[in-house]
Amino acid sequence: MSRHVIVVHGGAGGFSKRDEKYLEILSEATAKGFNIIERGGSALDAVVEAVVVLENSGKFNAGLGSCLTLDGIVEMDAGVMDGSTGRVGCVGAVRCVKNPIILARKVMELTDHILLVGEGAEMLAKCLGLNIDPSLLLTEEKLSRLSDIKEKIRKQGSLRLKKLDKIREVCPDLYGTVGAVALDRAGNLATATSTGGYWLKLRGRVGDTPIIGAGIYADKTSAASATGMGEVIMKTLLCFRVCQFIEWGVSPQKAAEAGISIATKRYGSGNAGVIVVDRNGDIGIAFNTRGMAIAYMYEGMDRPIAEIRIREDI
Ligand code: GLY
C-alpha cells in the first residue's frame, strides 16, 4: 500500500549538529509541499513549491542564498522532472532570476526543450517577467565570504583551479543544493532540485542539477534528487542509478546507499548525497559527507521531521 510523502534536502556537506538554524526552513518547505499533496495536489506542485521556499530563504545555496563564482557573480542551475509523464525542464548558469526552479518548470511546460542555459534561459525569464536585477543576489555577506575563502586558500598555497579536492579540505562547506522528491495521492512521483553550484566555480560551469539522471531523475517507479560535487554526481549518474536499482527491486534506502557507495569507491568520500522516494512512499537517504540536512513528512504525521544527519565515520 502506498502513502503520500515528501522528502526535502538542504544539501550534503560540512553540516554539523549545531546548524539547527536550517531546520526551521526545511520544516517550512516540507510542510508547504506536504499540504499541497494532502489537499489532493500533484507531486510536481509539491516539490516545486518546497524548493521555492528554500530558494527564497537565502540560507541555502540556491536562489537568493546562492554562492559566488571565482569572479564574484551568481550563476544558478535547476531542474524538475515529472515521473508520471516523463516531462522535464532544466536551466543552467542563469544569473537574473530569483527562483530558477520556476524557470525550469516553464522550460518544461512552455517549450519543446529540456535544458536552456545562460542568455537563452534569461531571455525566457524576461519574457515571463521572472527576471530580477542580478545584483540583488549579491550581498555584502557573500562578497566578504568570497574574500575569506580566497584568503584561506592562499594561505595554504596558490589558488589553483584544478585543485578542488584540496580546496574542499580547507572549506568543507563550499557547496550545497536544495531538492525535494514526492509521491502524491494519485501515485505520481516528481523531483525538483536547485543550486548555486559551489564557491569559486568558474563562470559558465554547469553542474549535475540540470542534468537528467545526474542531479534529478523521476519515472513511474521512483524519484531522486542529488546534492554534492556536481562533477562526481554527473560521472556517477547518481539519480538514475539509484532509481534503476529501485526498478530492479532494491529498497529505496539500500538503493540510495548503493549509489553513494559507488560514488565513494570511484571518487572518494565527502562529495555526494541523495534522497529518493518510490511508488509505495518508501524513502531512501544516503550521503558520504560529514552531514546532510533533510526533512520529510508522511501521510499521518502532524508535522515534518527535520534533522541534520551526521556520519561519525567521515
Ligand atoms: N550539486 C551542485 C553542483 O555541483 O552544482
Side-chain angles (χ1 to χ4, degrees):
M1 207 187 78
S2 74
R3 48 188 179 162
H4 50 279
V5 58
I6 183 165
V7 189
V8 170
H9 72 78
F15 285 110
S16 75
K17 281 274 183 214
R18 292 190 312 276
D19 295 326
E20 296 233 329
K21 58 182 185 280
Y22 298 111
L23 300 183
E24 210 173 297
I25 305 159
L26 279 174
S27 288
E28 187 194 329
T30 306
K32 177 102 188 247
F34 185 79
N35 285 339
I36 291 171
I37 44 182
E38 183 76 347
R39 291 196 310 266
S42 69
L44 182 65
D45 285 342
V47 292
V48 169
E49 289 307 317
V51 166
V52 165
V53 171
L54 300 172
E55 286 179 337
N56 288 347
S57 72
K59 296 283 182 220
F60 293 92
N61 180 15
L64 293 180
S66 294
C67 63
L68 303 185
T69 60
L70 184 66
D71 58 340
I73 63 165
V74 167
E75 287 192 341
M76 299 163 287
D77 304 335
V80 59
M81 189 161 186
D82 180 356
S84 56
T85 59
R87 289 184 312 162
V88 57
C90 303
V91 292
V94 288
R95 298 179 193 167
C96 67
V97 288
K98 184 176 160 206
N99 296 113
I101 198 65
I102 292 179
L103 187 58
R105 186 172 182 171
K106 295 292 182 195
V107 170
M108 178 176 89
E109 290 175 342
L110 302 178
T111 81
D112 292 325
H113 309 312
I114 286 176
L115 172 59
L116 280 186
V117 299
E119 208 183 325
E122 290 170 1
M123 280 169 70
L124 179 67
K126 281 189 188 119
C127 289
L128 298 170
L130 295 175
N131 59 309
I132 56 165
D133 180 341
S135 68
L136 295 175
L137 298 165
L138 296 180
T139 60
E140 284 306 317
E141 196 185 336
K142 287 188 199 178
L143 291 166
S144 129
R145 170 131 202 248
L146 182 64
S147 65
D148 285 354
I149 295 172
K150 285 184 176 173
E151 189 50 37
K152 217 168 175 182
I153 291 164
R154 268 193 210 101
K155 278 192 191 138
Q156 303 283 320
S158 62
L159 185 59
R160 282 197 239 135
L161 299 176
K162 278 188 66 81
K163 292 288 173 203
L164 266 174
D165 278 353
K166 289 273 164 259
I167 293 174
R168 269 194 303 145
E169 277 169 24
V170 188
C171 305
D173 58 346
L174 277 186
Y175 49 71
T177 296
V178 303
V181 294
L183 172 73
D184 65 28
R185 284 173 175 274
N188 302 310
L189 293 148
T191 178
T193 308
S194 180
T195 188
Y198 51 73
W199 289 88
L200 305 182
K201 71 179 183 180
L202 293 184
R203 193 183 272 240
R205 177 262 186 193
V206 172
D208 59 301
T209 299
I211 307 298
I212 311 170
I216 51 163
Y217 188 74
D219 57 23
K220 290 186 173 159
T221 307
S222 57
S225 165
T227 168
M229 180 66 75
E231 285 69 12
V232 166
I233 297 165
M234 287 189 272
K235 288 188 286 187
T236 313
L237 216 55
L238 184 59
C239 283
F240 177 70
R241 208 178 268 277
V242 168
C243 290
Q244 193 167 50
F245 287 144
I246 292 172
E247 197 172 341
W248 290 342
V250 179
S251 75
Q253 184 54 36
K254 291 269 179 250
E257 284 168 12
I260 291 298
S261 151
I262 290 167
T264 310
K265 274 198 197 99
R266 293 187 186 172
Y267 307 108
S269 63
N271 50 34
V274 69
I275 59 173
V276 66
V277 59
D278 74 1
R279 65 178 161 214
N280 300 318
D282 291 329
I283 68 174
I285 298 164
F287 52 100
N288 67 10
T289 54
R290 175 86 178 139
M292 182 158 171
I294 56 108
Y296 55 91
M297 189 162 179
Y298 277 108
E299 178 181 4
M301 284 167 63
D302 53 9
R303 70 176 68 89
I305 289 182
E307 55 196 8
I308 308 280
R309 291 204 176 164
I310 300 291
R311 278 189 63 161
E312 299 299 343
D313 57 331
I314 288 183

